[in-house]
């Protein structure tokens, strides 16, 4: 029923846009989408996203034990100015205030992550009831405001006690046990779960480049095995959640799949972008969606290809209820005559970017991210599980943050996402990253992604202008 509504909505908008063009052909401006053309479908799920280690603080409280990120952040030279998530936004204590902010925005849903080390402080063994109680309280508070919880089970804060971390396949099994336990305890009230967040970040960045926790730079064979344990954790997690859920649940993941934008929008370049999407994400989303490692990946890695045990690929290829895409920035590709059939173009130095220089001003990435994934693998539903940007926010004398660059970024991305919806791609919802300024991993507190400014000395939250903008977009269910 919902699908039919969505499809009809897409057709109606396409027709309206076409009519607008035909009815006033001499006025070029009339062919630009007007505000009402950028209305979103009824029931579209507007949300915000956060992650445990980035906002909670309270790292020693109620039985939580250290994670690889606690240790990494406390290791000199690993994060900006040695900053850590020890206190962060103190959302462990201030969660009611944060749910109130969500309510004030008018969001329908909230994506947050559970800290594995609060539930199983050593990664395995006996669950810690006090840790679980915190998430019971968060869920209750959200539901009291009619905000639907979407839970990420792993957003990088691996319990440090797990021997070998992601180098061990036992960690994938430990993750599944933890995921199944959470499903058994929360699925009476929570119906949407994401297994892992951005597998490439906790595998390659943690174990190949060493830029993220635990900061290792392993050789190719071992690093590829870590990747395998990452996708395996996801797959075993999907199975465990379904096996232990008390009722119907929707299970997916949140991936920062590399978004390949065809530099020129013609049939040949579009096909090249699709091929590139499959290839650039080979050991991650491609393997998950296809249930097997692409032959080209196995050939390319040769003796360094991952060791796979019976049953692994079935788990990894578990059918998903949705795919979550974290979208910030693209790569540009064009067709060429190389064996892979495309080239990745290096952006010129003048390519504009946001406060984080890796986030280019390239809003079409949100459209192509959805389109490439849907055209390749046809998932039943898509969520944008993260989208947003850093800004060099300053608090004015009268306590305002005029983050017009963030508003520009959001407006442009939501306009491009609207194109995907007009073209009937099944986009169910959008989670803005992030509700709050927070601990931005190796960038510490130097990069602010929130639509609420956080004064980290006092933990005071101050809505930025972008919060008012998002509130209005949600209220109108349209790009404003
Ligand atoms: C997401 O990933 C995370 O899910 C979230 O926790 C985070 O806060 C958010 O995005 C904003 O960053 O400098 O060219 O080497 C971010 C993934 C991976 C993006 C590392 C920046 C470094 C790119 N990040 N990457 S570069």
């Amino acid at each position: 029923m919902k699908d039919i509504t969505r499809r009809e909505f897409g057709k109606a908008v396409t027709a309206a846009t076409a009519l607008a063009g035909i009815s006033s052909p001499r006025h070029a401006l009339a062919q630009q989408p007007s505000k009402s053309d950028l209305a979103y479908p009824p029931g579209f799920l507007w949300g915000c996203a956060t992650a445990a280690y980035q906002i909670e603080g309270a790292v020693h409280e109620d039985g939580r034990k250290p994670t690889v990120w606690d240790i990494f952040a406390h290791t000199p030279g690993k994060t900006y100015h040695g900053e850590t998530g020890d206190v962060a936004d103190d959302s462990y204590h201030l969660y009611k205030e944060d749910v109130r902010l969500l309510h004030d925005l008018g969001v329908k849903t909230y994506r947050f992550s559970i800290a594995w080390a609060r539930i199983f402080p050593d990664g395995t063994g006996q669950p810690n009831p006090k840790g679980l109680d915190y998430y019971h309280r968060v869920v209750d508070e959200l539901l009291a405001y009619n905000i639907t919880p979407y839970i990420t089970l792993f957003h990088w804060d691996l319990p440090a006690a797990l021997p070998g971390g992601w180098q061990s396949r036992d960690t994938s099994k430990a993750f599944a046990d933890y995921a199944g336990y959470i499903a058994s305890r929360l699925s009476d009230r929570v119906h949407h779960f994401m297994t892992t967040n951005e597998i490439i970040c906790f595998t390659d960045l943690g174990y190949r480049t060493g830029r993220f926790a635990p900061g290792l730079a392993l050789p190719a064979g071992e690093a590829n095995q870590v990747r395998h344990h990452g996708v395996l954790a996801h797959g075993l997690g999907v199975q465990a959640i379904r096996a232990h859920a008390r009722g119907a649940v929707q299970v997916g993941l949140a991936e920062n799949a590399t978004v390949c934008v065809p530099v020129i929008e013609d049939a040949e370049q579009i096909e090249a972008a699709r091929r590139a999407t499959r290839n650039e994400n080979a050991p991650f989303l491609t393997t998950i969606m296809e249930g097997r490692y692409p032959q080209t990946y196995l050939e390319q890695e040769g003796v360094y290809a991952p060791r796979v045990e019976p049953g692994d690929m079935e788990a990894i290829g578990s059918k998903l209820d949705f795919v979550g895409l974290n979208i910030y920035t693209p790569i540009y590709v064009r067709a060429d005559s190389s064996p892979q059939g495309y080239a990745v173009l290096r952006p010129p130095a003048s390519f504009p970017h946001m406060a984080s220089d890796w986030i280019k001003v390239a809003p079409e990435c949100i459209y192509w991210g959805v389109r490439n994934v849907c055209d390749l693998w046809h998932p039943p539903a898509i969520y944008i599980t993260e989208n947003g940007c850093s800004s060099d926010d300053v608090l004015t004398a009268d306590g305002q943050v005029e983050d017009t660059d963030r508003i520009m970024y959001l407006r442009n991305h939501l306009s491009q996402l609207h194109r995907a919806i007009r073209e009937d791609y099944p986009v169910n919802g959008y989670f803005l990253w992030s509700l709050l300024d927070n601990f931005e991993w190796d960038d510490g507190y130097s990069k602010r992604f929130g639509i609420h400014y956080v004064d980290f000395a006092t933990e005071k939250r101050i809505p930025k202008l972008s919060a008012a903008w998002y509130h209005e977009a949600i209220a109108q269910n349209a790009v404003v």
Side-chain angles (χ1 to χ4, degrees):
M1 183 62 198
K2 207 170 162 201
D3 276 357
I4 292 166
T5 316
R6 179 65 53 87
R7 209 168 300 129
E8 283 170 354
F9 173 84
K11 280 192 196 125
V13 172
T14 312
T17 312
L19 270 176
I22 293 161
S23 61
S24 42
R26 282 165 298 152
H27 303 291
L29 280 178
Q31 295 180 32
Q32 298 291 321
S34 76
K35 200 165 84 177
S36 60
D37 289 332
L38 294 177
Y40 269 66
F44 188 78
L45 276 180
W46 298 103
C48 282
T50 62
Y53 187 67
Q54 295 182 270
I55 66 163
E56 287 178 0
V59 292
H60 302 298
E61 221 149 315
D62 293 336
R64 181 190 182 278
K65 285 196 187 170
T67 69
V68 295
W69 265 99
D70 296 84
I71 293 170
F72 185 77
H74 277 275
T75 306
K78 299 300 184 188
T79 65
Y80 178 84
H81 287 185
E83 291 170 345
T84 74
D86 284 4
V87 181
D89 293 323
D90 198 25
S91 199
Y92 192 75
H93 299 110
L94 301 178
Y95 68 94
K96 286 194 178 172
E97 207 178 301
D98 294 338
V99 174
R100 180 73 210 187
L101 297 177
L102 290 163
H103 171 72
D104 290 346
L105 284 169
V107 296
K108 318 264 182 285
T109 176
Y110 177 48
R111 171 180 178 236
F112 63 98
S113 83
I114 291 186
W116 181 350
R118 291 195 192 281
I119 312 300
F120 293 97
D122 292 312
T124 56
Q126 286 307 307
N128 168 33
K130 282 191 173 172
L132 187 65
D133 284 349
Y134 169 64
Y135 298 104
H136 276 307
R137 293 195 295 276
V138 172
V139 167
D140 288 344
E141 193 70 11
L142 289 166
L143 294 178
Y145 283 100
N146 246 317
I147 299 169
T148 306
Y150 275 57
I151 287 182
T152 315
L153 288 155
F154 182 67
H155 202 123
W156 310 350
D157 41 359
L158 186 74
L162 285 166
W166 288 113
Q167 286 186 268
S168 167
R169 63 180 278 131
D170 289 345
T171 295
S172 312
K173 292 190 195 138
F175 172 74
D177 291 343
Y178 149 69
Y181 177 75
I182 294 294
S184 74
R185 295 302 147 130
L186 292 183
S187 61
D188 56 334
R189 289 163 302 145
V190 180
H191 310 297
H192 297 86
F193 292 94
M194 285 144 286
T195 53
T196 48
N197 182 72
E198 303 188 347
I199 298 170
I200 193 173
C201 289
F202 68 84
T203 59
D204 278 9
L205 296 186
Y207 293 81
R208 189 186 299 259
T209 70
R211 180 166 173 168
F212 278 7
L216 302 179
L218 301 175
E222 289 170 55
N224 287 346
Q225 198 60 31
V226 167
R227 287 177 171 176
H228 182 69
H229 298 153
V231 292
L232 180 60
H234 155 76
L236 295 174
V238 174
Q239 293 180 333
I241 294 165
R242 291 201 174 123
H244 291 94
R246 295 202 219 160
V249 286
Q250 305 264 299
V251 189
L253 81 178
E255 271 293 274
N256 58 332
T258 297
V259 175
C260 305
V261 172
V263 70
I264 296 168
E265 210 174 293
D266 65 22
E268 192 192 2
Q269 311 303 326
I270 290 170
E271 176 51 31
R274 191 173 315 169
R275 245 195 326 271
T277 300
R278 190 167 175 271
N279 197 44
E280 297 291 322
N281 299 292
F284 305 111
L285 191 60
T286 305
T287 294
I288 287 167
M289 299 310 283
E290 300 181 5
R292 52 189 297 212
Y293 284 105
Q295 200 52 37
T296 46
Y297 176 68
L298 294 176
E299 280 163 15
Q300 175 198 308
E301 298 303 321
V303 294
Y304 302 121
R307 291 181 308 280
V308 175
E309 294 192 10
D312 286 5
M313 298 320 295
E314 288 71 21
I316 292 166
S318 299
K319 290 277 164 276
L320 301 178
D321 299 301
F322 65 89
V323 169
L325 297 173
N326 295 355
I327 296 190
Y328 292 91
T329 205
I331 59 172
Y332 288 91
V333 304
R334 74 161 169 226
D336 75 0
S337 55
S338 66
Q340 65 181 14
Y342 68 92
V344 176
L345 305 182
R346 176 194 286 270
S350 57
F351 206 113
H353 60 77
M354 307 308 290
S356 302
D357 55 13
W358 59 274
I359 305 183
K360 306 301 181 199
V361 180
E364 67 274 33
C365 68
I366 202 165
Y367 167 75
W368 284 102
V370 170
R371 177 166 167 180
N372 289 331
V373 165
C374 289
D375 289 356
L376 277 166
W377 301 303
H378 309 286
I382 294 275
Y383 290 90
I384 302 302
T385 34
E386 290 180 23
N387 174 245
C389 69
S390 50
S391 165
D392 293 332
D393 298 317
V394 283
L395 206 52
T396 60
D398 60 343
Q400 311 270 330
V401 179
E402 295 169 347
D403 55 341
T404 46
D405 56 345
R406 178 174 288 106
I407 292 173
M408 174 277 291
Y409 181 96
L410 296 171
R411 179 188 280 132
N412 286 343
H413 279 252
L414 286 171
S415 300
Q416 289 285 326
L417 184 61
H418 189 270
R419 179 181 173 197
I421 290 172
R422 274 194 318 267
E423 294 177 13
D424 286 341
Y425 292 104
V427 184
N428 281 1
Y430 172 91
F431 295 86
L432 196 160
W433 186 274
S434 183
L435 175 65
L436 303 167
D437 293 338
N438 60 46
F439 176 73
E440 177 56 19
W441 308 111
D442 57 334
D443 284 333
Y445 298 96
S446 69
K447 291 289 182 282
R448 293 178 176 271
F449 277 82
I451 56 173
H452 294 90
Y453 185 90
V454 177
D455 175 346
F456 291 104
T458 61
E459 297 295 356
K460 189 168 186 270
R461 282 91 159 116
I462 299 163
K464 301 178 191 176
L465 204 49
S466 56
W469 182 88
Y470 196 42
H471 175 271
E472 189 58 26
I474 296 168
Q476 292 195 28
N477 201 33
V479 183
V480 292

